[in-house]
Amino acid sequence: MKHCVIAFCFLLLSPLDINATERPKIGLALSGGGAKGAAHVGVLKVLEGKNIPIDYIAGTSIGAYVGGMYALGYSAAEIEAIMMNTDWEKGYSDTIPRQSLSFKDKETRDKYNIPINIGYSDDEVKLPRGLLRGQSMSQLLRSSTNLIEQLGSFDDLSIPFRAVATDLTTGEAVVLDSGSIVAAMQASASVPGALQPAVIDGRLLVDGGIANNMPIDIVKQMGADIVIAVDIGSPLVGAAQLDSSIAVLNQLSTILTNASSKKQKALLDANDILIRPKIDDLSTTDFSIMPIALPLGEIAAREKSAHLDKLAVSRSDFRQYLVAKKQKSSQWSSEIKRPLVKVVYDNHSNVSEKLLAESLALTPGEPVTTASLEAGIKRVYALDKFERVDAEFTDTDAGRVLTVTTKAKSWGPNYFDLGFSWEDDFSLDSVVSLDFAYAMTNVTENGGEWRNEISLGFDKLLGSEFYQPLSKDQTYFSRAQFEYELKDWAFFENNSRVFELKQTSYHTEIGVGINYTHNGMIELGLVGEIGELKNDFWGLGGVDYSGYGGYFKFAYDDLNSISFPTSGNRFTFNVFFRKEKYELDQAVDDPNASSFSIQYEADWRGALGFGNHALVGIASLATVDKDGTFTVNVSELGGFLNLSGYHKNALYGSHKVFGAFVYQYDLGRDVLGMTEYPLYLGTSLEAGNVWTQKDNVSLSDLIYSGSLFLGIDTGVGPAALGFGASDDGEKTVFLFIGKNW
């Protein structure tokens, strides 16, 4: 019985080798071509339909992806399903979604909305090596290939495989034949300048199309007697189309890849087959053309039927070939179901392993799924401390060992931040704000951060903040902040400016807190402020004031967007206890000028999305309980979705009530076919008011307003154009670009 089992296993595993000796060995060379790579799948479908076995595969760029998938054991139909159901556009954005950031990082991004990625260290300004870091692309590739371990040789795959990249320092072709198949695929497709170079065995690797876009020579070196080469390279464009720097760069890239392809085609002999799908008019970067490219690959392959049919084997032999291929793939696919026994951190950053482990949240003893690994990697990457976070498995007798590799941002550890906003209602001065910061990170063992900032425009501010985590996992923290601010209080009547107060203040806060969840924090501390209010036309002169006391802050925020959210909630609640003192120029040491105050502030914004529609709720309450009547601690109303008929911050008062209901329709995605950014058509109903005296607060005094707007949320912040009106006759046409809250 034992000998029968051995003989049966031998029969299952041996057909591929037997057939390989009875027939010519067939190699497949797949070229690069971006989104047009779906044509490769069309060719594979025809080859399978004709019972043509493949013994070796080599690919470049998208050819490395399709070839690698086929070498792993996937059928053409399976690769088609994966490619067509993958959102390839997500692979070309490494921006961390807002809802994934910590509460502190959400506030930083909201204020500094321009993603500049500029650092400074070692006496020089530093930039990333590419526009994209490749994080999202690696996760996308990992989802496609499943959780296969690193391989000692790509010969161990169902079909021996090679990926081709280019050494950035020498320009030579680099053949990748072992290790991580995900890393090999990505290195082969890392377009210089767009994606950061991959680092494998100490070499900087970029898109293989530069050195060898159609690796016919590699397939022949692997042992192929006959090569089927599929060319999806782009043609050169005419002079009329070279009308921009990007077009010129694309043309130069095409010249290089075509030159390498031409060199490879010269290696084809009479028995080899060259397939060239009619994809010249298709884009390499628009992945929506993939359903068009795939059948073009099928058509081109069928046109070569007279040559391809000579390579076909019998149906039974091809079935045995597929069985053997499946048997080899099962050797690695079965390992995926084994439990995780250990997580190893190859940590090239100052983030503690404890924080990495808590963020990864994978428990040894349980199998790791693609979904759980990707979610864990996203949480680690969302700490926003890394250039890349990668993960690879090694299979042992005891189970699977996961190695998580983290690489700190190469342009750090000190960074520049930039924020910008511009708001205009076409009747008064524009409200412009420019925020600039220089942040020094990892200044202490626990990851302390010292941020210095300047704000210019509508409000002027110089500030410095030191944020010190008190534990390795950064759950507890201390914070010290100092600000010098110049601010104009504009008082309006009938939406027209009546007069202004100029405020100069020095403000400091010192506190300790806890990040009780990734999305929220609680903080207690001391607060102090001194300042002056002044107006040249105010008959009473200036007011010097001071205040000191304590504060309590509570916050939770998991909104996906600060301006046009479609999911999540943001809630903040602040309490300030102060002893305030005011001294008029003409009444110094007034015994009634000193008083105790308690200020309460509560703000909420929540969103619920369904399809291309979203409902947003906004509520804001504020009050100051004090002995005297005057205080500088006031709240504002006025502006977009904040009593939209009024000019920005047109109303001031120490007591505020405001609420709004907003409806947003994603016109861009639903009607216009926009995929990168949503374009919202929205309307709002709003009600609110401010009061100077607490005794005067009455809901019967609420001002009702509404708006109609077009808004878009982009990578550099929101923008909106609309019209607002209130029930007391105020009207504005508003336009804003950048942050608005």
Side-chain angles (χ1 to χ4, degrees):
M1 181 66 182
K2 178 179 179 182
H3 294 295
C4 292
V5 172
I6 294 173
F8 178 71
C9 292
F10 177 79
L11 288 173
L12 283 178
L13 294 172
S14 62
L16 183 59
D17 296 330
I18 292 173
N19 288 331
T21 59
E22 293 177 349
R23 58 173 174 78
K25 296 178 181 179
I26 302 171
L28 187 63
L30 303 179
S31 78
K36 296 184 287 187
H40 288 322
V41 184
V43 173
L44 288 175
K45 292 178 72 174
V46 172
L47 297 181
E48 287 184 345
K50 290 181 175 293
N51 297 336
I52 298 175
I54 301 299
D55 301 293
Y56 307 103
I57 301 178
T60 297
S61 196
I62 191 67
Y65 171 81
V66 176
M69 294 288 286
Y70 202 61
L72 281 169
Y74 292 100
S75 68
E78 288 171 329
I79 299 173
E80 177 185 3
I82 292 171
M83 289 186 73
M84 296 305 166
N85 290 288
T86 296
D87 187 354
W88 291 92
E89 297 295 339
K90 288 184 177 180
Y92 292 90
S93 173
D94 288 326
T95 301
I96 301 170
R98 184 184 186 277
Q99 63 267 33
S100 298
L101 294 169
S102 68
F103 176 80
K104 180 176 180 293
D105 289 338
K106 287 185 179 80
E107 292 213 311
T108 300
R109 179 182 292 185
D110 292 343
K111 183 172 184 178
Y112 301 101
N113 55 301
I114 308 297
I116 55 175
N117 286 335
I118 299 177
Y120 182 84
S121 60
D122 303 324
D123 298 324
E124 63 177 322
V125 175
K126 296 182 178 180
L127 298 170
R129 289 173 173 165
L131 296 176
L132 299 172
R133 308 172 202 175
Q135 179 69 25
S136 297
M137 183 58 73
S138 68
Q139 290 181 266
L140 184 149
L141 295 175
R142 193 181 297 110
S143 296
S144 295
T145 59
N146 216 324
L147 306 182
I148 183 173
E149 71 163 333
Q150 297 190 79
L151 299 168
S153 171
F154 290 163
D155 289 342
D156 296 334
L157 295 172
S158 295
I159 302 172
F161 167 70
R162 302 290 185 267
V164 179
T166 301
D167 189 318
L168 186 60
T169 60
T170 66
E172 298 175 347
V174 177
V175 179
L176 302 171
D177 59 4
S178 63
S180 165
I181 194 167
V182 169
M185 289 176 175
Q186 186 163 8
S188 183
S190 294
V191 179
L195 286 165
Q196 289 194 147
V199 181
I200 298 180
D201 296 331
R203 306 178 78 171
L204 293 178
L205 303 182
V206 295
D207 196 312
I210 298 172
N212 189 346
N213 195 47
M214 191 165 54
I216 294 169
D217 59 341
I218 305 303
V219 179
K220 287 181 175 287
Q221 292 169 17
M222 293 172 74
D225 299 311
I226 296 175
V227 175
I228 301 173
V230 185
D231 180 15
I232 59 168
S234 300
L236 296 174
V237 300
Q241 295 172 274
L242 299 174
D243 54 358
S244 68
S245 58
I246 294 177
V248 172
L249 289 174
N250 287 337
Q251 183 83 332
L252 291 173
S253 176
T254 302
I255 291 172
L256 291 173
T257 55
N258 287 358
S260 69
S261 294
K262 183 178 180 180
K263 182 179 179 181
Q264 290 297 309
K265 290 175 185 178
L267 301 176
L268 295 171
D269 58 36
N271 293 322
D272 298 325
I273 301 170
L274 176 63
I275 299 174
R276 171 68 184 178
K278 296 179 180 178
I279 40 72
D280 288 358
D281 294 332
L282 299 182
S283 169
T284 59
T285 57
D286 181 5
F287 287 90
S288 66
I289 59 94
M290 293 177 74
I292 301 172
L294 192 145
L296 293 178
E298 294 184 67
I299 293 170
R302 290 196 187 100
E303 290 175 349
K304 297 289 184 176
S305 291
H307 298 87
L308 292 173
D309 289 344
K310 298 176 183 178
L311 306 180
V313 298
S314 68
R315 182 174 299 180
S316 61
D317 285 347
F318 192 71
R319 188 179 300 115
Q320 288 182 332
Y321 164 83
L322 294 178
V323 169
K325 184 180 173 184
K326 193 70 174 179
Q327 285 288 327
K328 293 200 73 173
S329 69
S330 66
Q331 295 176 21
W332 62 262
S333 62
S334 61
E335 296 290 335
I336 293 174
K337 301 176 183 178
R338 300 182 68 204
L340 177 70
V341 295
K342 186 179 181 181
V343 180
V344 177
Y345 294 97
D346 185 12
N347 185 17
H348 301 275
S349 75
N350 289 328
V351 178
S352 69
E353 283 193 13
K354 183 178 181 181
L355 181 56
L356 293 177
E358 289 185 354
S359 301
L360 187 66
L362 293 179
T363 305
E366 298 291 333
V368 178
T369 65
T370 302
S372 63
L373 178 62
E374 293 309 311
I377 292 175
K378 286 180 179 179
R379 286 191 296 269
V380 174
Y381 187 66
L383 295 174
D384 203 18
K385 306 295 183 184
F386 310 108
E387 184 172 316
R388 283 287 296 273
V389 178
D390 293 308
E392 296 292 345
F393 284 96
T394 303
D395 293 319
T396 67
D397 293 338
R400 313 203 80 190
V401 176
L402 176 65
T403 300
V404 177
T405 303
T406 54
K407 181 184 178 184
K409 297 176 182 178
S410 58
W411 58 97
N414 305 325
Y415 307 98
F416 295 101
D417 294 316
L418 182 65
F420 171 78
S421 66
W422 171 49
E423 184 169 347
D424 204 321
D425 62 7
F426 302 99
S427 62
L428 296 165
D429 296 335
S430 297
V431 177
V432 178
S433 176
L434 179 65
D435 300 303
F436 177 83
Y438 178 63
M440 291 176 281
T441 67
N442 297 325
V443 295
T444 65
E445 184 178 353
N446 287 346
E449 178 180 312
W450 185 17
R451 178 179 297 274
N452 296 281
E453 56 188 355
I454 301 173
S455 294
L456 302 172
F458 184 62
D459 294 325
K460 299 172 179 60
L461 178 144
L462 290 174
S464 184
E465 179 188 72
F466 188 78
Y467 182 89
Q468 171 60 41
L470 300 177
S471 56
K472 289 289 186 181
D473 60 5
Q474 302 192 357
T475 299
Y476 301 95
F477 65 88
S478 63
R479 187 179 66 89
Q481 181 185 50
F482 174 79
E483 293 180 341
Y484 167 68
E485 185 176 19
L486 298 174
K487 183 177 181 179
D488 290 339
W489 289 21
F491 290 85
F492 294 81
E493 185 174 327
N494 297 325
N495 221 17
S496 298
R497 186 183 293 110
V498 179
F499 67 93
E500 289 183 348
L501 288 177
K502 296 187 179 296
Q503 180 183 11
T504 303
S505 66
Y506 301 86
H507 180 93
T508 186
E509 291 182 2
I510 301 175
V512 294
I514 177 174
N515 295 306
Y516 66 92
T517 179
H518 184 71
N519 295 315
M521 69 88 191
I522 297 172
E523 183 178 340
L524 287 168
L526 302 175
V527 61
E529 183 174 11
I530 60 173
E532 177 188 30
L533 291 174
K534 190 174 182 180
N535 185 285
D536 296 336
F537 300 100
W538 191 16
L540 296 178
V543 176
D544 295 322
Y545 68 89
S546 63
Y548 61 90
Y551 66 84
F552 167 82
K553 296 181 179 182
F554 172 88
Y556 179 86
D557 185 351
D558 67 349
L559 280 181
N560 64 340
S561 169
I562 191 64
S563 294
F564 301 113
T566 57
S567 66
N569 291 273
R570 184 179 193 274
F571 176 73
T572 60
F573 177 66
N574 302 326
V575 182
F576 294 90
F577 309 85
R578 298 186 184 92
K579 185 173 183 180
E580 301 181 37
K581 185 175 183 180
Y582 297 90
E583 298 179 350
L584 297 175
D585 286 350
Q586 298 180 359
V588 179
D589 297 328
D590 184 337
N592 295 320
S594 181
S595 60
F596 183 77
S597 71
I598 305 178
Q599 180 184 12
Y600 303 90
E601 299 174 331
D603 292 278
W604 169 77
R605 179 170 294 202
L608 178 64
F610 45 97
N612 293 306
H613 309 270
L615 301 177
V616 181
I618 303 171
S620 182
L621 299 171
T623 187
V624 180
D625 186 5
K626 68 185 299 292
D627 299 333
T629 59
F630 179 76
T631 178
V632 294
N633 301 300
V634 297
S635 301
E636 304 95 354
L637 271 179
F640 177 58
L641 300 184
N642 195 38
L643 282 186
S644 297
Y646 280 79
H647 182 65
K648 185 177 178 68
N649 296 345
L651 303 176
Y652 288 90
S654 52
H655 311 281
K656 179 178 74 170
V657 174
F658 177 76
F661 174 81
V662 184
Y663 166 72
Q664 296 170 180
Y665 168 58
D666 193 343
L667 179 70
R669 287 194 174 100
D670 197 29
V671 177
L672 304 179
M674 299 171 62
T675 57
E676 188 171 2
Y677 299 115
L679 176 65
Y680 295 110
L681 175 63
T683 186
S684 68
L685 296 175
E686 309 160 34
N689 206 344
V690 295
W691 296 268
T692 303
Q693 301 290 335
K694 186 175 182 180
D695 293 341
N696 295 333
V697 175
S698 173
L699 295 182
S700 62
D701 293 335
L702 289 180
I703 301 170
Y704 296 91
S705 68
S707 70
L708 183 66
F709 61 89
L710 276 174
I712 187 168
D713 213 349
T714 72
V716 295
L721 173 67
F723 171 77
S726 66
D727 65 339
D728 58 357
E730 304 298 344
K731 300 180 181 65
T732 58
V733 175
F734 55 83
L735 169 68
F736 82 82
I737 299 171
K739 58 190 179 180
N740 181 81
W741 71 94

